[in-house]
Amino acid sequence: MHTWPTALFVLLWSSGAIFSRWGLDHASAFVLLALRFTLALAALWALGWRERVWLPAPGARLSVAGAGLLMIGGYSCFYFLALQQGLTPGVLATVLGVQPILTLLVQERRFSSQRLVGLIVALAGLSLVVADSLLRARLSVSGFGFALLALVCMTAGTLLQKRVSEPPSRALPLQYALSLLLCLLLLPLQPLHLDWSAGLVVPVVWLGLVISVGATLLLYRLIHAGNLVNVTSLFYLVPGGTALLDWLLLGNRMAPASLAGLATILLGLALVFRSRPR
């Protein structure tokens, strides 16, 4: 796995939580998602204008559509629904942290104990990073259910995306179009709120272009070029990266537990990456 695309992906993906939180102060969840997906779709359409090819090959469209609906549409909708139902970001991050372990069990029928131990150590480190949120968590059965659905969507989506041979420039437009359609269908089911201001425009531009296009293109490149368990384990770094950006950009210092958790995650990932899949 190449170093710079990996580091850039973690950095960009970590910023998503900060801009999502900012955007949610000015728009309801599905309004924000609809605006984000619309901008991403427009950008991908513009990028594909030279070749004027925006769809995958006919034989690959069903698998591309399924991967996109799960990995982008379903995951994003259930993620925001979990937060809306009162689940704290720390609990949600911990639930989603099970994804690399599930991927290991499904993708690699034979694996070394070191890889499994490394993932468990990294998950423990993730729990330390989000310890404050975990301590403040309140029980939300519906929120926990939506978190599990987001976990299933992301895990199944990445497994399916790994099998997609179409280039991202042809896969992503269809995937974002279907995700936008899903979001629009869900809009009437939720309270609507929209406040047109810089506090909404800046997050939408960042989420739509930098995260949904730039970071997702990097993620797809990593998925197709590397081992899927190794790639999904990078998500353990995202909450730590978010806390670090929160410290550097907003001045909110990281707690000692967060720093210890980030070090534990790095230790766990070192065990995962040093142990090659069988």
Side-chain angles (χ1 to χ4, degrees), residues 60-74 153 156-158 160-161 164 174-175 178-179 220:
R61 289 175 186 175
L62 187 59
S63 59
V64 168
L69 277 173
L70 288 168
M71 190 174 173
I72 297 174
C153 285
T158 52
L160 190 56
Q161 183 62 38
V164 172
L174 176 61
Q175 292 179 335
L178 292 174
S179 298
Y220 279 25

Side-chain angles (χ1 to χ4, degrees), residues 11-26:
L11 178 64
L12 293 179
W13 206 265
S14 298
S15 70
I18 295 175
F19 283 91
S20 293
R21 182 61 268 165
W22 188 8
L24 286 172
D25 290 336
H26 300 274

Side-chain angles (χ1 to χ4, degrees), residues 112 114-115 230 267-277:
S112 67
Q114 180 175 320
R115 281 173 74 75
N230 291 356
L267 173 61
L269 294 185
L271 294 173
V272 173
F273 279 78
R274 287 183 62 184
S275 177
R276 295 183 179 180

Side-chain angles (χ1 to χ4, degrees), residues 107-163:
Q107 185 76 5
E108 299 178 15
R109 300 297 178 86
R110 298 177 58 202
F111 53 85
S112 67
S113 57
Q114 180 175 320
R115 281 173 74 75
L116 181 58
V117 169
L119 292 175
I120 294 174
V121 169
L123 181 59
L126 171 64
S127 299
L128 283 175
V129 171
V130 299
D132 183 60
S133 183
L134 289 174
L135 292 174
R136 291 186 289 105
R138 64 182 180 87
L139 181 62
S140 171
V141 176
S142 57
F144 190 76
F146 285 129
L148 290 178
L149 288 172
L151 170 64
V152 170
C153 285
M154 192 60 170
T155 304
T158 52
L159 288 169
L160 190 56
Q161 183 62 38
K162 180 67 175 178
R163 302 174 186 174

Side-chain angles (χ1 to χ4, degrees), residues 6-49:
T6 302
L8 183 59
F9 165 72
V10 172
L11 178 64
L12 293 179
W13 206 265
S14 298
S15 70
I18 295 175
F19 283 91
S20 293
R21 182 61 268 165
W22 188 8
L24 286 172
D25 290 336
H26 300 274
S28 51
F30 287 125
V31 171
L32 181 61
L33 280 176
L35 293 172
R36 169 183 176 177
F37 291 160
T38 299
L39 182 57
L41 186 58
L44 290 165
W45 183 84
L47 290 173
W49 180 254

